[in-house]
Amino acid sequence: QVQLVESGGGLVHPGGSLRLSCAASRSIFSINAMGWYRQAPGKERELVAGITSGSNINYAESVKGRFTISTDNAKNTVYLQMNSLKPEDTAVYYCNAVVVTATSGVIDSWGKGTLVTVSS
């Protein structure tokens, strides 16, 4: 399993920016896919942005053009740069890592989450 620690959440005004970080306990090269999910009060958890080991990236339609996912392999860290934030972006943001192994199958790991609040 992969231990994931998120940071960077907080309170920001509409139109503002935040950068979330997710530090992994093992090399990103050994992880098949990483992603950021979010869960707003009363709603289901949804994928915000994902990146695979082959550098394929996808975004939720609601964040395209505003959010950017990236990695720093030397730091085993994945980032989510969030610009032009809206009140509807308010949620707990979770980091996810998926590792596919020959012996244990798919191992799905989650961080504890970081709260992002967009409010004036």
Side-chain angles (χ1 to χ4, degrees):
Q1 195 164 7
V2 184
Q3 277 69 52
L4 302 168
V5 179
E6 303 103 332
S7 61
L11 173 64
V12 63
H13 293 308
S17 299
L18 280 176
R19 189 178 79 159
L20 305 184
S21 300
C22 172
S25 61
R26 59 191 283 181
S27 171
I28 288 179
F29 289 117
S30 68
I31 300 173
N32 295 88
M34 296 192 73
W36 287 96
Y37 289 71
R38 68 185 180 188
Q39 187 166 20
K43 295 188 176 181
E44 294 187 353
R45 191 173 297 188
E46 62 174 354
L47 175 67
V48 176
I51 184 167
T52 68
S53 56
S55 298
N56 293 312
I57 293 175
N58 64 299
Y59 295 100
E61 284 296 325
S62 60
V63 306
K64 281 184 179 178
R66 300 188 298 123
F67 291 10
T68 303
I69 189 171
S70 63
T71 60
D72 185 331
N73 297 327
K75 296 181 179 180
N76 297 332
T77 298
V78 61
Y79 301 101
L80 184 68
Q81 178 67 44
M82 306 186 293
N83 299 328
S84 302
L85 282 161
K86 304 175 181 180
E88 50 263 44
D89 294 318
T90 295
V92 177
Y93 284 70
Y94 297 91
C95 183
N96 169 259
V98 176
V99 177
V100 180
T101 72
T103 54
S104 303
V106 177
I107 301 175
D108 205 9
S109 302
W110 294 91
K112 293 184 178 180
T114 185
L115 177 63
V116 172
T117 303
V118 185
S119 175
S120 55

